[in-house]
Amino acid sequence: MRRRLEMTEHHFVFVHGAGHGGWCWYKLANSLRENGHKATCIDLKGAGINPTDPNTVSSLDDYDEPLYAFLSQLPIDQKVILVSHSVGGGSMTAAMCLFPSKVSLAVFVAAAMVKPGTLIPERLKNVMKICSGLIEEETEKIWDYTFGNGPENLPTSIMMKPEYVRDKFYNESPMEDYTLATTLLRPAPVMAFVGIMDIPKAPEADKTPRVYVKTGKDHLFEPVLQEVMLALWPPAQTFLLPDSDHSAFFSQPQELYQFLLQAASSLSP
């Protein structure tokens, strides 16, 4: 089965979540490249090694510009498989709407998957806001805020407080990956995440097949709330990583790799 799944070459394009960058996908990218596939790990604006100050990012489209630029330069006959994590699901959904002819499959890994133009239940909206730092949990405040436009305005960037990083992002991940991440995490632009829940209605969003990967030991985006989201916009396929934390690319990378190949195998040659 594994040999058959790896026979067709695919190009996977990875989209990170808040505070992360293309670096977080290094295990998946390595496995795919070693087995004859292409892997591109995007740094959205103000993330990873992108030089932009995240406090200056003004909107979701501004944040997503590196992803849009990459998709726009693809040859006319080439499609890619998009893979997103966490609030990066909003960036991927926006790209699906703008470049439907460039995306053969969209894979959401513990990611925000909201149909553009639909109303979001308050319970799910609140957890999405917590995951992106737009509101604080009543029992614990997990984010540090930067108010680049003054304290009377919305914060311009957020960063998870160090004492919560292990539990919320990497509670099942190897210690060495957690240590690596603590040296690479950056503040994330708040104005980008405001736009994630307000992507306009777009018929193009339903033209791309979607796959969802659930994370069974996720302390940030709890499994029960992932289920609520799946019921609102059911994907074509759903996979479960029962022992994964929020960061499946660290906690269960080989299992996630196999799921990616399995999802890709459903595409026509």
Side-chain angles (χ1 to χ4, degrees), residues 172-198:
E172 298 293 326
S173 297
M175 183 59 69
E176 59 265 31
D177 290 317
Y178 160 69
T179 302
L180 172 69
T182 59
T183 69
L184 296 173
L185 290 169
R186 290 180 63 184
V190 168
M191 294 311 297
F193 305 140
V194 171
I196 285 173
M197 288 174 282
D198 296 310

Side-chain angles (χ1 to χ4, degrees), residues 189-212:
V190 168
M191 294 311 297
F193 305 140
V194 171
I196 285 173
M197 288 174 282
D198 296 310
I199 299 174
K201 184 177 181 179
E204 293 79 9
D206 278 318
K207 295 179 180 178
T208 302
R210 288 171 292 106
V211 171
Y212 201 90

Side-chain angles (χ1 to χ4, degrees), residues 84-154:
S84 65
H85 174 240
S86 197
V87 292
S91 295
M92 185 171 74
T93 301
M96 290 161 52
C97 295
L98 289 175
F99 301 95
S101 66
K102 299 295 185 184
V103 183
S104 60
L105 180 69
V107 182
F108 296 77
V109 182
M113 185 179 68
V114 177
K115 186 174 183 177
T118 60
L119 293 175
I120 306 172
E122 200 63 29
R123 184 184 181 197
L124 182 59
K125 184 182 291 186
N126 283 342
V127 77
M128 289 176 65
K129 287 180 176 179
I130 291 168
C131 290
S132 55
L134 296 179
I135 64 171
E136 292 275 72
E137 290 178 300
E138 292 181 4
T139 57
E140 59 186 19
K141 299 185 181 301
I142 63 174
W143 301 102
D144 280 325
Y145 295 86
T146 297
F147 291 86
N149 296 325
E152 70 280 4
N153 295 307
L154 278 176

Side-chain angles (χ1 to χ4, degrees), residues 108 111 113-114 124 210-215 221 223-239:
F108 296 77
M113 185 179 68
V114 177
L124 182 59
R210 288 171 292 106
V211 171
Y212 201 90
V213 180
K214 299 186 293 182
T215 43
F221 192 10
V224 64
L225 293 170
Q226 295 181 38
E227 293 288 354
V228 171
M229 187 176 60
L230 290 171
L232 294 173
W233 196 23
Q237 295 182 78
T238 302
F239 298 103

